[in-house]
Amino acid sequence: MKLFIATHNQHKIREISQILPNFEIVPDDPEGVEENAPDFAGNALIKVRAIAEKHKGEWCMADDSGLEVKALGGAPGVHSARYAGEPCDTPANNALLLKNLEGVKDRAARFTCCCALVDPSGEELVVHGHCPGHIAEKAAGVEGFGYDPLFIPNGYDKSFAELSADEKNAISHRGRALEKVKAIVGDGSAGDGSRVGHAGRAEGKGGSRVLAWLRLFRVVNLPTVPGDVFVGAALWPCFAGCSLCIFSVLLAALAGVFLYMFGLADNDIVGAKTDKGRPIPDGEISLAAARIARFVCLAAAVLVACLAKLPGLWWPAALLLVVSVVLYNRTKWCLAMGVCRGLNLLCGALAANTVFSMDAALLTVPVALAAGVWTLYITAVTWYSKGEEYDPGKKRRVGLLVGGIIYLQLAVLIYLTMRNACAMPLLVAGAVLLVLLRLFRRALPKVSAS
Ligand code: ITT
């Protein structure tokens, strides 16, 4: 099967041919195109579109790739080829990288490869592959190209340039991205491209729109949000001895979910230019559509709270929650994120306060304690998660800490139910959330990964 590749880089062509041996690789230099997009996906699309015009009815692909160094804020990134200036000068690029990292201890980095495809019907698809590692103190090895002599992949004590082509391709960013390409196009045997359906399996344009919205709203994490509200509400029967209006609590949980979705849309709008691999920069969701979604989520939270006739104190807490969300999205202060989730729990406690009584005062200390502990836990996890994109081990551990939130909530709900059986409906609701979370994670692995 023929695959037209938009590149002038002979090293890329060699590696792509090694990784896709059954394809007839046809290089086509997209001469004169300006790679001026802010991210790899944008540049890969610019290059592939330039040649797809010429090869209508065929599969075309472009690879845009580069090195991202944590201590340099992700540089050289999309400027990898011309880090030391025009034209591309590999020794100068490597020398500049070493100079900029002089005296730097944390040398974590990752290679990223983005492959943009245009299928025979003209549909566009985008996939990414990453390879985490670190930058060596000095160059070593003669294989490969570009930054290979300086890059030591995680789990190895040799640079990419000291590995054989097969060893590099098995773990490299390009190898990983091209595995995804194979899942879409087939392995290149005759007729494969027309036989293999790909709707919804790519990350970028042409992938399912629904999937893009599910990714924007990190739908697999959403079930952890009502859990905060349930824990807050369950404190009532245990410490103030009041029965609960379950209906109000459920609606408060729904309002909490909408507020969280408001925050997620706002986060992706704020990071529209910088958060690579998210649906807005990948061009799957327009900025205007995300802005409308942000407004709709906020309006939905207000509407639900009005319908539920939530107590007056819920409103200032919810307003504070919105302020913390907006603050976190713009500053990335870990504490602001912790405060969001602590306030979510507080909102649960306040929403359940439908019967005002003297006993309500009994709740102040347990609620303050629970919200405070929750704030600290989330703050610590957010702080620990920094730099996880350069360290898959850390990413797995953060996944466990975040996934563990729902188990923590359930453990607290079990304890509170043992103290007062009136909290039982909230424990049942918490268990339903756990089932939902597991179902989402199984059905939507692609969304879980983002
Ligand atoms: P085309 O745009 O024509 O494909 P290019 O070399 O300009 O070729 P990019 O804009 O994608 O390609 O820049 C990629 C740069 O990133 C490349 O020049 C290297 O410096 C670096 N790079 C990418 N993949 C690499 C790899 O596997 N090993 C070492 N360096 C790599």
Side-chain angles (χ1 to χ4, degrees):
M1 186 191 142
K2 247 189 201 163
L3 183 58
F4 290 88
I5 309 283
T7 184
H8 72 275
N9 184 326
Q10 296 304 317
H11 302 284
K12 284 187 186 175
I13 295 168
R14 196 187 58 227
E15 288 190 0
I16 294 170
S17 306
Q18 287 162 344
I19 300 166
L20 303 177
N22 296 332
F23 286 81
E24 184 189 339
I25 302 294
V26 187
D28 186 353
D29 190 345
E31 248 176 296
V33 293
E34 216 181 317
E35 296 177 42
N36 53 8
D39 52 32
F40 296 111
N43 284 331
L45 282 166
I46 289 174
K47 289 190 269 190
V48 75
R49 283 174 189 152
I51 67 157
E53 278 294 303
K54 290 188 268 173
H55 308 292
K56 289 210 165 79
E58 302 278 0
W59 280 94
C60 297
M61 189 181 92
D63 156 328
D64 199 71
S65 40
L67 182 69
E68 296 168 292
V69 181
K70 185 179 167 195
L72 303 177
V78 287
H79 305 294
S80 292
R82 288 151 206 93
Y83 189 37
E86 296 275 5
C88 173
D89 178 343
T90 296
N93 287 342
N94 287 358
L96 180 61
L97 182 62
L98 283 181
K99 182 170 169 281
N100 288 345
L101 285 176
E102 258 168 26
V104 174
K105 284 219 168 59
D106 182 356
R107 303 172 79 90
R110 68 171 182 178
F111 265 123
T112 292
C113 171
C114 174
C115 292
L117 291 150
V118 174
D119 80 1
S121 72
E123 194 179 344
E124 293 173 349
L125 308 109
V126 175
V127 294
H128 288 83
H130 302 285
C131 180
H134 68 272
I135 303 300
E137 295 285 347
K138 57 182 181 16
V142 292
E143 302 296 328
F145 69 104
Y147 297 95
D148 280 351
L150 292 180
F151 182 78
I152 300 183
N154 279 352
Y156 288 73
D157 53 9
K158 289 177 179 174
S159 77
F160 258 174
E162 292 177 293
L163 300 180
S164 69
D166 282 348
E167 283 174 312
K168 177 185 171 188
N169 293 338
I171 56 164
S172 78
H173 48 308
R174 190 159 293 107
R176 287 175 178 157
L178 290 175
E179 278 309 312
K180 295 185 186 172
V181 168
K182 272 197 231 171
I184 295 166
V185 183
D187 75 352
S189 335
D192 237 2
S194 51
R195 228 178 37 236
V196 179
H198 55 262
R201 282 205 268 141
E203 300 156 8
K205 287 205 167 179
S208 153
R209 298 274 153 208
V210 176
L211 209 63
W213 283 103
L214 297 182
R215 283 177 64 222
L216 184 96
F217 289 125
R218 282 106 162 149
V219 74
V220 289
N221 293 335
L222 284 186
T224 66
V225 179
D228 295 346
V229 176
F230 295 160
V231 169
L235 296 170
W236 275 92
C238 299
F239 292 96
C242 308
S243 61
L244 281 174
C245 173
I246 294 297
F247 182 68
S248 293
V249 177
L250 289 180
L251 285 180
L254 185 63
V257 170
F258 281 129
L259 287 179
Y260 189 72
M261 289 167 72
F262 157 82
L264 294 173
D266 184 61
N267 178 69
D268 278 22
I269 289 166
V270 173
K273 288 210 174 81
T274 48
D275 293 351
K276 295 159 199 153
R278 300 289 310 151
I280 300 177
D282 277 0
E284 297 171 281
I285 292 175
S286 71
L287 204 51
R291 286 196 177 115
I292 293 171
R294 177 176 61 179
F295 172 77
V296 169
C297 290
L298 189 60
V302 171
L303 190 71
V304 169
C306 290
L307 284 179
K309 297 200 176 66
L310 294 181
L313 278 177
W314 180 87
W315 291 92
L319 183 66
L320 222 60
L321 174 57
V322 170
V323 171
S324 317
V325 164
V326 170
L327 185 71
Y328 173 74
N329 289 342
R330 280 147 189 86
T331 61
K332 297 294 170 209
W333 290 341
C334 305
L335 184 63
M337 170 58 98
V339 167
C340 291
R341 297 297 292 248
L343 281 169
N344 211 21
L345 189 146
L346 183 67
C347 280
L350 295 170
N353 183 8
T354 44
V355 208
F356 276 96
S357 70
M358 290 303 287
D359 296 340
L362 293 174
L363 217 63
T364 315
V365 173
V367 167
L369 210 65
V373 168
W374 207 217
T375 300
L376 288 181
Y377 177 76
I378 301 291
T379 302
V381 173
T382 311
W383 175 78
Y384 178 66
S385 71
K386 284 191 188 287
E388 61 176 335
E389 60 274 37
Y390 298 96
D391 181 350
K394 189 185 229 191
K395 197 170 183 146
R396 258 193 311 278
R397 288 190 291 279
V398 170
L400 285 178
L401 290 171
V402 173
I405 285 176
I406 202 145
Y407 293 99
L408 277 179
Q409 292 165 338
L410 268 181
V412 176
L413 286 171
I414 290 171
Y415 166 74
L416 295 176
T417 306
M418 278 164 44
R419 285 188 60 137
N420 187 328
C422 285
M424 178 63 87
L426 297 176
L427 174 59
V428 173
V432 170
L433 288 176
L434 176 63
V435 174
L436 272 182
L437 185 92
R438 297 196 70 92
L439 283 179
F440 283 171
R441 292 236 155 114
R442 195 162 308 157
L444 300 163
K446 186 177 254 311
V447 177
S448 318
S450 59

